[in-house]
Amino acid sequence: MKTKKLRADFISKKLDSLYPETPIPLKHKDPYTLLVSVLLSAQCTDKRVNLVTPHLFRLADCPEKMVKLTPKKIESIVKSCGLGPRKSKAIYDLSHILINDHDSKVPASFEELEALPGIGHKSASVVMSQAFGVPAFPVDTHIHRLAKRWRLSSGKNVVQTERDLKKLFPEKRWNRLHLQIIYYGREHCTARGCDGTKCEICRACSGI
């Protein structure tokens, strides 16, 4: 555990130096537009989502406007994000739920978010951390891969990875750190670009 903590401390300091600023990758203007963007990002890149959402949000940037569209109309706009029928129906249905059950506002609780169509634990964690500033550690494919590569977690599943990372890093670092790891995974330690020996953090961790 001691060497794992040493690796975690080194990684935290290195990521702070590389990414002193951590802008949110998905373009949005409020919790609702973030919620929709996060839903669309499932099995899709943030870059693709950011190309699609400006058109969608010009037509409907709040639940009341979204329910005036049909699921078919929503699908015609978001289909390039993949899983078009499922995602468009989820956006339409959750907009109705927000109007009927939450005063048209996105709820600021894990339980209520995870009860919405198309929103699982990881998506709820993103909204809680990025929209409401609540400490959370959303684990995406980059974080899951790097936590295992850096020997911070066994990598058995994302639930275990999230649990291990929350134990290793102080709660006040979670929201910032999860974005830093994503940036690093995209820019320096890609699945194909680094085999665990090429990037700076991988090289350093191999000796700790």
Side-chain angles (χ1 to χ4, degrees), residues 151-170:
R151 291 175 292 143
L152 302 179
S153 175
S154 64
K156 290 178 181 176
N157 53 62
V158 293
V159 174
Q160 184 62 49
T161 297
E162 180 181 345
R163 190 179 299 129
D164 291 340
L165 293 177
K166 283 181 172 180
K167 286 180 184 176
L168 271 174
F169 297 100

Side-chain angles (χ1 to χ4, degrees), residues 104-179:
S104 297
K105 294 181 174 61
V106 176
S109 83
F110 285 97
E111 184 180 9
E112 290 173 307
L113 284 170
E114 290 177 35
L116 295 172
I119 303 298
H121 177 67
K122 180 222 162 192
S123 296
S125 295
V126 172
V127 174
M128 290 296 285
S129 65
Q130 297 178 2
F132 301 117
V134 174
F137 214 126
V139 174
D140 76 342
T141 53
H142 293 292
I143 294 174
H144 185 53
R145 173 172 58 84
L146 295 185
K148 184 176 182 181
R149 180 171 284 179
W150 295 338
R151 291 175 292 143
L152 302 179
S153 175
S154 64
K156 290 178 181 176
N157 53 62
V158 293
V159 174
Q160 184 62 49
T161 297
E162 180 181 345
R163 190 179 299 129
D164 291 340
L165 293 177
K166 283 181 172 180
K167 286 180 184 176
L168 271 174
F169 297 100
E171 189 177 90
K172 64 182 180 181
R173 289 282 287 120
W174 294 353
N175 290 358
R176 178 183 175 86
L177 188 62
H178 98 264
L179 287 172

Side-chain angles (χ1 to χ4, degrees), residues 60-110:
D61 59 357
C62 66
E64 289 84 358
K65 291 179 182 177
M66 194 66 75
V67 298
K68 290 180 181 177
L69 304 180
T70 64
K72 278 291 184 187
K73 177 61 178 177
I74 298 170
E75 183 186 347
S76 71
I77 299 168
V78 306
K79 60 185 177 182
S80 66
C81 293
L83 304 175
R86 188 187 308 172
K87 289 180 179 178
S88 58
K89 187 175 187 310
I91 291 169
Y92 183 80
D93 289 347
L94 73 78
S95 297
H96 271 288
I97 292 169
L98 293 181
I99 292 169
N100 295 331
D101 298 346
H102 300 286
D103 239 3
S104 297
K105 294 181 174 61
V106 176
S109 83
F110 285 97

